[in-house]
């Protein structure tokens, strides 16, 4: 494993040295994951586009009064879920803005009309509905959560997630990517990661590359995640996501990270993180699949045959057939996994009994998805 000192020294590594670094990362992936890459077949449910934060790169968030500002109804949620079930999806990813009811009357009114005061309570009810009326299993990505909220959601989902993004406080300053974002204060996100660890919630987190963080801050973010995993054992995957500049946002003209920058970061992440942590990179944000595989990733994250990537709506999901072919070119097999990685499926503290019972029919013996579906 890399030390912090060695990782810091790899800033700017390129050419043959970068190839050597990637080869080491691939070697480590092979030791722990064999010749297999995975993805999760899912539907994305943007439960609300309202959010109290103002991230400089975000087009998901909609301000009150704008046509896209809304809270989905239970019927709208289930329509997506039922269609996803017909298309072989196993996971519902609930993604939503952070605590909009604390800032906007429109959010409070929408929740009141549904019979709720807090978005988390409505989210929990939607998870219950999914479990009662479909074979899909929820994965919840609701941002920062307190202990009560995590306790409420844990029995209702297979896993949860929240990107750390960065541990840099500099980005909270005026002009920074996280200016005016109370939920992007690193300490708040670290506390959520710690609480999830104490409660044994299988958790996805990750870092955002190219939003103004330095190489050192990037390394320290990965080390922080690693430390939390060493203490609690709950980080099942880390996403390395490249920033994409979007028209109409304050960061529209901000430079995007290069492919080389991504490969360098991916390989270092593979070598820094505990190898039991799955390393994931979204395939729709950079279509150089073979390069990513050569940098040591073992997972592509969620891909949907139905719903778009609401966070990056301009980036279409890849054809699964193309992704499988790219994996095959690198000597790897693409396989479908569930929202809970095999290593966590038999750990009682991490899986509630009710969830485990629901999980069994979806799993094959090695913990990956029963009834694999690799068609778009
Ligand atoms: S990135 Fe997330 S937290 Fe930031 S404004 Fe968009 S929805 Fe809100």
């Amino acid at each position: 494993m890399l030390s912090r000192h060695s990782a810091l020294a790899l800033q700017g590594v390129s050419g043959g040295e970068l190839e050597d670094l990637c080869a080491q990362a691939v070697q480590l992936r092979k030791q722990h994951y064999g010749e297999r890459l995975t993805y999760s077949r899912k539907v994305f449910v943007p439960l609300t586009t309202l959010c109290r934060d103002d991230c400089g790169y975000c087009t998901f968030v909609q301000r009150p009064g704008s046509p896209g500002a809304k809270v989905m109804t239970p019927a709208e949620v289930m329509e997506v879920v039922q269609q996803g079930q017909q298309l072989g999806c196993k996971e519902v990813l609930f993604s939503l803005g952070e605590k909009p009811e604390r800032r906007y009357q429109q959010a409070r009114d929408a929740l009141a009309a549904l019979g709720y005061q807090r978005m988390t309570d409505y989210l929990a009810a939607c998870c219950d509905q999914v479990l009662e009326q479909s074979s899909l299993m929820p994965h919840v990505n609701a941002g920062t959560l307190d202990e009560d909220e995590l306790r409420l959601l844990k029995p209702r989902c297979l896993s949860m997630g929240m990107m750390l993004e960065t541990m840099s406080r500099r980005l909270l300053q005026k002009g920074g990517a996280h200016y005016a974002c109370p939920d992007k204060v690193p300490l708040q996100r670290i506390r959520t990661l710690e609480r999830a660890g104490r409660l044994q919630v299988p958790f996805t987190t990750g870092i955002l590359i190219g939003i103004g963080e330095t190489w050192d801050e990037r390394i320290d973010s990965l080390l922080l995640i690693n430390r939390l995993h060493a203490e609690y054992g709950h980080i099942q995957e880390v996403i390395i996501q490249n920033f994409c500049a979007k028209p109409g946002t304050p960061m529209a003209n901000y430079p995007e990270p290069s492919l080389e920058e991504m490969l360098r970061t991916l390989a270092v992440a593979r070598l820094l993180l505990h190898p039991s942590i799955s390393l994931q990179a979204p395939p729709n944000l950079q279509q150089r699949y073979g390069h990513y595989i050569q940098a040591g990733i073992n997972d592509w994250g969620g891909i949907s045959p139905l719903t778009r990537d609401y966070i990056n709506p301009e980036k279409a999901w890849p054809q699964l057939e193309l992704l499988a072919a790219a994996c095959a070119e690198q000597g790897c097999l693409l396989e479908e996994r569930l929202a809970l990685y095999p290593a966590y499926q038999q750990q009682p503290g991490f899986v509630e009994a009710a969830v485990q019972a629901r999980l069994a029919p979806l799993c094959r013996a090695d913990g990956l998805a029963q009834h694999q579906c690799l068609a778009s």
Side-chain angles (χ1 to χ4, degrees):
M1 306 300 291
L2 275 183
S3 66
R4 178 177 186 273
H5 180 76
S6 304
L8 293 181
L10 288 167
Q11 179 179 15
V13 70
S14 62
E17 287 180 332
L18 179 56
E19 285 175 20
D20 289 347
L21 187 70
C22 288
Q24 290 175 45
V26 167
Q27 193 57 32
L28 193 59
R29 180 192 68 221
K30 284 181 179 173
Q31 285 171 17
H32 289 269
Y33 299 90
E35 307 286 3
R36 181 165 75 195
L37 273 89
T38 47
Y39 90 103
S40 177
R41 191 173 183 87
K42 66 175 76 169
V43 288
F44 292 75
V45 171
L47 195 61
T48 180
T49 51
L50 291 159
C51 176
R52 72 169 177 169
D53 297 323
D54 285 302
C55 298
Y57 45 78
C58 181
T59 52
F60 175 83
V61 66
Q62 300 290 320
R63 295 296 159 221
S66 68
K70 66 173 294 184
V71 177
M72 289 175 74
T73 64
E76 288 170 332
V77 170
M78 286 315 295
E79 189 180 341
V80 176
V81 170
Q82 304 292 4
Q83 287 179 33
Q85 184 169 325
Q86 286 171 12
L87 292 167
C89 296
K90 320 286 190 302
E91 175 186 344
V92 183
L93 167 59
F94 281 106
S95 57
L96 49 153
E98 299 232 15
K99 301 171 184 56
E101 71 274 23
R102 296 195 189 172
R103 182 172 177 186
Y104 297 121
Q105 189 63 42
Q106 182 179 343
R108 290 191 286 274
D109 290 346
L111 282 172
L114 292 162
Y116 299 90
Q117 290 186 319
R118 195 173 62 154
M119 191 60 70
T120 309
D121 295 317
Y122 178 49
L123 172 62
C126 287
C127 289
D128 284 343
Q129 183 182 241
V130 168
L131 292 171
E132 284 161 15
Q133 298 177 24
S134 82
S135 64
L136 275 66
M137 301 287 286
H139 169 89
V140 166
N141 197 339
T144 55
L145 295 169
D146 65 25
E147 192 168 322
D148 287 346
E149 291 174 306
L150 286 162
R151 283 188 194 282
L152 177 71
L153 292 168
K154 184 184 175 189
R156 296 174 162 83
C157 61
L158 211 43
S159 53
M160 295 188 217
M162 180 206 66
M163 294 285 280
L164 170 63
E165 297 195 11
T166 178
M167 46 66 68
S168 171
R169 284 187 52 81
R170 287 186 311 102
L171 305 192
L172 298 166
Q173 293 165 6
K174 193 160 191 177
H178 290 154
Y179 177 65
C181 299
D183 299 295
K184 295 294 169 82
V185 173
L187 185 59
Q188 298 304 332
R189 298 184 95 69
I190 294 165
R191 283 179 175 158
T192 297
L193 291 170
E194 285 175 338
R195 290 177 193 124
R198 280 197 296 275
L199 295 174
Q200 293 188 294
V201 179
F203 216 79
T204 296
T205 188
I207 58 175
L208 205 41
I209 307 303
I211 54 172
E213 82 288 4
T214 64
W215 176 259
D216 290 16
E217 288 166 343
R218 206 180 291 171
I219 297 301
D220 284 335
S221 298
L222 290 168
L223 288 170
L224 174 75
I225 293 169
N226 222 21
R227 273 201 302 278
L228 291 169
H229 182 67
E231 186 164 0
Y232 301 109
H234 66 310
I235 304 295
Q236 62 168 1
E237 59 183 354
V238 163
I239 304 171
I240 307 293
Q241 182 171 334
N242 48 311
F243 157 73
C244 297
K246 296 182 174 57
T249 64
M251 293 177 72
N253 298 316
Y254 209 76
E256 297 181 346
S258 66
L259 175 63
E260 190 174 79
E261 183 73 7
M262 282 301 290
L263 299 180
R264 192 182 296 131
T265 306
L266 285 166
V268 167
R270 171 91 284 163
L271 296 167
L272 265 184
L273 295 169
H274 191 279
S276 65
I277 299 175
S278 176
L279 185 66
Q280 178 189 123
N284 61 321
L285 304 185
Q286 165 67 268
Q287 286 81 35
R288 309 295 287 273
Y289 312 135
H291 287 82
Y292 272 19
I293 298 169
Q294 289 169 358
I297 67 161
N298 62 286
D299 189 82
W300 296 111
I303 298 176
S304 181
L306 180 68
T307 50
R308 59 183 174 163
D309 175 356
Y310 293 99
I311 314 297
N312 300 282
E314 74 283 8
K315 308 282 187 185
W317 297 118
Q319 295 280 316
L320 281 169
E321 296 83 350
L322 287 180
L323 204 57
C327 291
E329 271 176 31
Q330 301 299 323
C332 298
L333 182 66
L334 179 64
E335 297 209 83
E336 188 190 340
R337 65 166 172 82
L338 301 169
L340 187 67
Y341 279 74
Y344 289 87
Q345 290 170 9
Q346 303 306 325
Q347 295 193 48
F350 283 97
V351 193
E352 305 270 338
V355 171
Q356 200 157 31
R358 294 282 314 252
L359 186 62
L362 297 176
C363 285
R364 62 185 198 193
D366 63 1
L368 295 182
Q370 190 79 270
H371 310 301
Q372 297 258 325
C373 197
L374 295 173
S376 295

